[in-house]
Amino acid sequence: MDLEYVSCNMCGADDTAPLFPSTIDYQKRISVEAYNCTNFGYGVHHAIVKCRQCGLVYANPRFAQGDLIEEYEQVVDPLYEQERQGRVLTFERHLKPLEQMMGDHRGKRILDVGAYTGIFVEIAQQHGWDAYGTELSQWAAQLCRERGLNVKTGTLEQAAFPDDFFDVATSWDVVEHLNDPKMHLREIHRVLKPGGVLAVHTIDIDAPFARIMGPRWPWLMEMHIVYFSRRTLAALLTEVGFQVIRAEAQGRYQKVSYLVSRLRAVNDTLWRVGDGVVRRLHVDQLAVPINLGDLVTTYAVKKP
């Protein structure tokens, strides 16, 4: 895949300061597994820069959008399904604030952009929503449809939903993967009804944990293209026509065995020791809440 240099997606400037140098070996063939939700590629990333004009942090240069879409279309990630328990607990918790905002939500339309295997769509449907989703991975989208979920394969733009169609839209861990998040948010704005609610969940590069970790922050990865802060995401949402309501750190539930498996990316011996300990204690299947403050959900409404 070829590298491309880009201007800032938020303000259009070509004035950047380097933050972290690239750690990718571009002589090796890029593996599609690098784009799995569950991949272990911590610390392997493109050069990361910060716009001197607006403060947006992003990968530059990086692979072209068309190449990235092709990679995501080929993703097959069975480990994600093995961690279903923690993801169900996470999405049940993520759905509650939206239901509180909407009041009587039954029958209202909700869209999950980047639905992956459809866990959030399925939960919303069980709660009485008229739930839709879009997903690039052909494997994941097909899995959704086999479960009777209304999930379309492809980008949100390719789905071609009508204007002002949805009451709520969600974007869980999506915007950081996009070469053009501004276009993504504009399309969500188009398909939302006036007064409709948007929830955007993404990593926060200005979180205290991210600042402390610096180049060792685990979310510095090849598949992450844009590294928003609360401020820059709010500014972009405002620019495309949303009114930001609030932003809050929201962690996730994960099985202990999955958390220990992530140690393998750091040290193989440490992983083996940790794996042995949790199995002896019979806590490997226990789902626990994890919140380091660097995963943030921003809520916004489409201005009438």
Side-chain angles (χ1 to χ4, degrees):
M1 292 191 288
D2 295 328
L3 291 173
E4 64 175 11
Y5 286 84
V6 299
S7 302
C8 175
N9 185 251
M10 191 155 76
C11 73
D14 287 306
D15 182 15
T16 61
L19 291 185
F20 307 107
S22 172
T23 57
I24 296 176
D25 183 353
Y26 292 112
Q27 301 304 312
K28 293 183 178 179
R29 184 183 182 280
I30 303 302
S31 170
V32 67
E33 283 76 21
Y35 299 92
N36 286 8
C37 182
T38 58
N39 90 84
F40 295 94
Y42 301 134
V44 179
H45 55 80
H46 299 289
I48 298 171
V49 302
K50 183 175 184 178
C51 178
R52 289 191 174 100
Q53 301 301 313
C54 69
L56 184 67
V57 176
Y58 58 98
N60 196 28
R62 73 279 191 103
F63 299 130
Q65 177 75 1
D67 292 333
L68 288 178
I69 287 175
E70 290 180 6
E71 294 298 317
Y72 281 114
E73 287 174 341
Q74 299 175 50
V75 161
V76 177
D77 191 4
L79 179 57
Y80 188 91
E81 280 293 287
Q82 294 175 27
E83 300 302 317
R84 182 179 177 85
Q85 177 190 4
R87 304 189 193 283
V88 167
L89 291 171
T90 297
F91 284 133
E92 285 279 2
R93 186 173 62 183
H94 283 357
L95 185 60
K96 286 181 181 178
L98 296 170
E99 293 185 338
Q100 291 168 355
M101 291 180 195
M102 298 303 295
D104 184 9
H105 64 272
R106 293 189 176 276
K108 291 185 177 178
R109 297 191 189 103
I110 188 170
L111 169 67
D112 187 26
V113 184
Y116 218 42
T117 62
I119 295 175
F120 182 81
V121 176
E122 185 175 11
I123 290 171
Q125 185 173 283
Q126 291 169 354
H127 281 236
W129 293 85
D130 185 10
Y132 296 70
T134 62
E135 173 52 44
L136 274 176
S137 164
Q138 297 176 12
W139 162 80
Q142 180 60 32
L143 193 59
C144 290
R145 289 190 290 273
E146 289 173 0
R147 292 171 173 165
L149 303 176
N150 190 355
V151 173
K152 295 187 177 184
T153 305
T155 65
L156 176 57
E157 292 76 17
Q158 291 169 337
F161 292 114
D163 293 352
D164 306 332
F165 189 67
F166 293 100
D167 299 282
V168 175
T170 60
S171 178
W172 308 115
D173 305 308
V174 173
V175 292
E176 65 269 23
H177 299 264
L178 304 176
N179 278 17
D180 193 350
K182 183 185 290 188
M183 181 178 71
H184 168 79
L185 294 174
R186 279 179 173 158
E187 183 67 4
I188 292 177
H189 184 274
R190 183 187 69 79
V191 302
L192 266 180
K193 297 177 180 178
V197 176
L198 168 63
V200 180
H201 183 82
T202 188
I203 52 181
D204 176 11
I205 194 150
D206 272 354
F209 179 68
R211 288 179 173 274
I212 291 169
M213 295 297 290
R216 295 177 292 111
W217 189 40
W219 298 125
L220 300 178
M221 304 175 73
E222 177 187 327
M223 65 178 177
H224 292 159
I225 302 299
V226 182
Y227 296 84
F228 286 102
S229 66
R230 296 190 187 204
R231 183 189 65 79
T232 55
L233 180 56
L236 187 56
L237 285 166
T238 300
E239 181 181 337
V240 301
F242 288 98
Q243 179 180 347
V244 175
I245 302 172
R246 70 176 190 271
E248 58 190 33
Q250 286 187 328
R252 58 188 58 174
Y253 285 87
Q254 291 181 322
K255 286 198 296 187
V256 173
S257 59
Y258 180 79
L259 292 171
V260 171
S261 73
R262 309 309 265 180
L263 294 174
R264 196 169 193 174
V266 179
N267 183 279
D268 194 66
T269 301
L270 185 62
W271 162 67
R272 292 182 184 279
V273 171
D275 185 65
V277 169
V278 300
R279 291 184 184 280
R280 284 196 298 272
L281 294 176
H282 303 291
V283 296
D284 51 308
Q285 298 303 305
L286 179 66
V288 296
I290 302 295
N291 190 348
L292 299 175
D294 57 348
L295 299 174
V296 172
T297 301
T298 300
Y299 301 94
V301 296
K302 178 177 176 176
K303 295 178 183 179

